[in-house]
Amino acid sequence: MCGIIGAVAESAINPVLEGLGRLEYRGYDSSGISILSNNEIQTIKAQGKLNNLKQRLSMQPLEGDCCIGHTRWATHGKANVTNAHPHQCGQVSVVHNGIIENYLQLKQQLMQWGHHFNSSTDSEVIPHLINHYLAQQMSQEEAIEQTINQLKGSYALGVLINGASKNLYAIKQGSPLVISQGNNGAYMASDAMALGPDSGKIYYPKDNELIKLNTNEIKLCSGSLNKKIHYINNKHCTKVISKGDHSSFMEKEIFEQVDLLKRLSVNNHTGEYSTIDFINLNKITIIACGTSYYAASVAKTWFEKYANILVEIDIASEYRYRSPIIIDNELVIFVSQSGETADTLAALRYAKSKQSQTLALVNVANSTIAREANFTFEIFAGPEIGVASTKAFTCQLAIFYKMAIEAAKQRAFIDDVEVKQLALNFVQLPYIMEKVLQRCTDMKKMARKLSHYSNALFLGRGSLTAIAQEGALKLKEISYIHAEAYAAGELKHGPIALLDEHMPVLVIAPKNALTDKLLSNIQEVQARNAPLLIIGDSSIREQINLQEDEFFELPEIPESILPIISVIPMQLLALYTAQMLGKNVDQPRNLAKSVTVE
Ligand code: F6R
């Protein structure tokens, strides 16, 4: 979603522009800055990529020591310069991430008071309200607090005020915000990754704590004035993230999975997982969005099959609105790469309000979901920059797999030999994955074929249904080819009506107990002249006549780890298809890396 950065430092525009660069990975459609320069707030905005903003700034260089910046992901109003942030009213300029739900009422009220609005955004009411209260002789702090008392919804704000004193304020409600006191300045951002090297110490403000940033100090303005800020180490600050020799971050992240899984399989974190009392659990509920939800779908099959635990999964945006039945000894697990997804966070807060035991599985250690859950496990995928999630998915699966082994051990549902076999399969996993990745060029042929179509159906069975769904999601996200996924047995219950020579059907068909059933589904596809693409075992090719660009061979894979390996060809297929169509795979249109609004 929107990215925010602010700095009070010498030549503050530099850390702000660098921060906006570091926020680019989140996806955005416009950007802008406001700077206190020559006793005036100067605001410059541009539609499209950050380079457009930089170009505008190169024609109009600005100097100043107090600056805010923003990358916008449109919610209210089109992606254009007028709707881009910062929004300014008089000597108040604001950057906002989140949604102001009651902005229409506030706007009406302000218009009655004589205010004129330029944009269609919800955010523009904020500088107008602050300005209104300043005009009533309130102090800057009072004007901001009075304003946020009126706002309904979620927000992280950077507020620049050019008054008798010139200040940068930060405040949040429900949206992520981080501040940092460096040696050369003070900074605020929506994401610790946006902060530069001068930000070793960070602080995550609580909701509605008003913070004033100065070069000399960062001050809590609300609540107890004597309250000290307790900083923690910024894990992101020294890491330089580059795509190395790869054509994109997504490609790098796909190929990185082998090493990550080697590390996860050698590094036996089971100590952590044994802290969960699986024996007395009556139910696990797993809640997530998007790709993380598909990881939950696979995890359900493992917990049920190997540990005989009842598992319910739910989409985070639905959970708290459906009156879920929460039972005794239920563990509610929240899966989120970013740890900031608004729907998942809201579901977590709902579960906590019902006294559930909550566990977070996150990639970003200090994220809000990690901080708020009763327990947190990291997935150790490292920063994921490609907007479409790849390595976080396989690392989520790896952690779930380890948890399922621990659950199987504790509940003794399968015998020791089977438990040992599960563990052994996990050790083999990265090596089998490596074999699949070594044959990546074969996938380019299939990608070329798929790139000629506008729609596709993906089929899988068992735990691979979730992998087919994940593959279809990846393809839509970055190539914009419409793809839907089904459990293969569902084909004849409706989607088969779509089949003709314009609708390719991709089937994940490894060698397992369901191969024969899949063969029947494959024949149903062939009978309707739909182009067939198979990611599967070599035995399938012996039975069905397939061209080189219609088949990607999977090596023999132990059943338990099939989903973790089978997703690799799906990721490659999406990547290569999108690249052949000339799409920007790291920053697909309309998508944001961290979805911080409901
Ligand atoms: C897909 C993708 C999204 C995210 C979803 C949840 O490639 O990245 O579907 O998986 O927005 O995000 P997190 O896991 O950060 O909660």
Side-chain angles (χ1 to χ4, degrees), residues 113 157 491 514:
W113 291 339
L157 303 176
L491 181 69
L514 294 169

Side-chain angles (χ1 to χ4, degrees), residues 225-297:
L225 288 178
N226 297 326
K227 213 167 133 196
K228 277 200 99 171
I229 296 181
H230 295 287
Y231 291 97
I232 56 171
N233 288 333
N234 180 6
K235 291 189 178 179
H236 292 290
C237 107
T238 50
K239 284 185 191 138
V240 179
I241 301 163
S242 96
K243 58 187 173 207
D245 293 337
H246 291 279
S247 60
S248 62
F249 278 105
M250 185 179 175
E251 184 185 271
K252 173 188 167 240
E253 286 159 7
I254 290 174
F255 283 86
E256 213 180 313
Q257 293 175 100
V258 171
D259 283 343
L260 289 170
L261 285 158
K262 276 185 188 160
R263 231 174 290 156
L264 284 175
S265 62
V266 172
N267 187 352
N268 182 351
H269 304 277
T270 49
E272 263 186 295
Y273 312 130
S274 61
T275 55
I276 303 175
D277 175 8
F278 285 106
I279 299 177
N280 293 306
L281 273 190
N282 290 329
K283 184 176 139 199
I284 296 177
T285 299
I286 315 177
I287 295 167
C289 303
T291 290
S292 298
Y293 174 77
Y294 296 134
S297 307

Side-chain angles (χ1 to χ4, degrees), residues 66-361:
C66 206
C67 184
I68 50 177
H70 190 265
T71 50
R72 177 171 185 253
W73 185 88
T75 57
H76 296 63
K78 288 200 164 54
N80 58 27
V81 174
T82 316
N83 290 332
H85 295 218
H87 290 290
Q88 195 175 336
C89 175
Q91 291 307 303
V92 180
S93 184
V94 169
V95 284
H96 167 220
N97 176 23
I99 287 180
I100 306 304
E101 288 163 5
N102 60 335
Y103 81 102
L104 280 175
Q105 291 136 269
L106 296 171
K107 198 167 175 173
Q108 247 165 18
Q109 176 69 78
L110 283 156
M111 280 160 74
Q112 278 167 15
W113 291 339
H115 288 248
H116 296 283
F117 287 82
N118 297 314
S119 76
S120 326
T121 65
D122 53 337
S123 314
E124 200 183 351
V125 295
I126 303 168
H128 281 265
L129 275 172
I130 297 173
N131 211 37
H132 170 79
Y133 292 119
L134 284 174
Q136 296 187 345
Q137 310 308 319
M138 286 188 190
S139 70
Q140 295 178 350
E141 286 88 346
E142 284 166 346
I144 296 173
E145 282 180 334
Q146 193 65 31
T147 296
I148 60 153
N149 285 343
Q150 317 244 344
L151 304 180
K152 292 206 175 97
S154 63
Y155 49 82
L157 303 176
V159 181
L160 199 57
I161 302 183
N162 180 26
S165 64
K166 302 168 195 330
N167 289 304
L168 172 57
Y169 295 90
I171 191 160
K172 68 150 219 147
Q173 160 78 50
S175 294
L177 179 67
V178 59
I179 60 168
S180 171
Q181 177 73 70
N183 294 325
N184 306 320
Y187 312 94
M188 55 158 293
S190 47
D191 181 336
M193 267 175 69
L195 297 168
D198 186 32
S199 61
K201 298 268 174 238
I202 53 174
Y203 173 67
Y204 289 98
K206 298 187 182 57
D207 279 351
N208 294 332
E209 267 181 1
L210 180 61
I211 288 163
K212 186 152 118 183
L213 290 90
N214 273 313
T215 21
N216 303 330
E217 60 165 356
I218 292 179
K219 215 166 127 190
L220 273 174
C221 301
S222 44
S224 157
L225 288 178
N226 297 326
K227 213 167 133 196
K228 277 200 99 171
I229 296 181
H230 295 287
Y231 291 97
I232 56 171
N233 288 333
N234 180 6
K235 291 189 178 179
H236 292 290
C237 107
T238 50
K239 284 185 191 138
V240 179
I241 301 163
S242 96
K243 58 187 173 207
D245 293 337
H246 291 279
S247 60
S248 62
F249 278 105
M250 185 179 175
E251 184 185 271
K252 173 188 167 240
E253 286 159 7
I254 290 174
F255 283 86
E256 213 180 313
Q257 293 175 100
V258 171
D259 283 343
L260 289 170
L261 285 158
K262 276 185 188 160
R263 231 174 290 156
L264 284 175
S265 62
V266 172
N267 187 352
N268 182 351
H269 304 277
T270 49
E272 263 186 295
Y273 312 130
S274 61
T275 55
I276 303 175
D277 175 8
F278 285 106
I279 299 177
N280 293 306
L281 273 190
N282 290 329
K283 184 176 139 199
I284 296 177
T285 299
I286 315 177
I287 295 167
C289 303
T291 290
S292 298
Y293 174 77
Y294 296 134
S297 307
V298 174
K300 173 182 165 73
T301 65
W302 286 330
F303 281 122
E304 290 180 346
K305 184 168 177 181
Y306 303 124
N308 195 33
I309 303 181
L310 170 67
V311 180
E312 190 182 10
I313 53 172
D314 207 351
I315 293 168
S317 54
E318 291 295 320
Y319 180 68
R320 70 196 158 120
Y321 295 115
R322 70 164 168 93
S323 311
I325 296 165
I326 295 170
I327 62 172
D328 283 346
N329 288 338
E330 172 176 343
L331 176 67
V332 191
I333 304 178
F334 296 85
V335 196
S336 176
Q337 186 284 127
S338 61
E340 299 295 351
T341 301
D343 287 323
T344 313
L345 180 59
L348 166 67
R349 287 177 178 162
Y350 176 85
K352 283 185 77 177
S353 76
K354 301 285 173 192
Q355 276 72 51
S356 295
Q357 274 302 304
T358 57
L359 168 68
L361 227 69

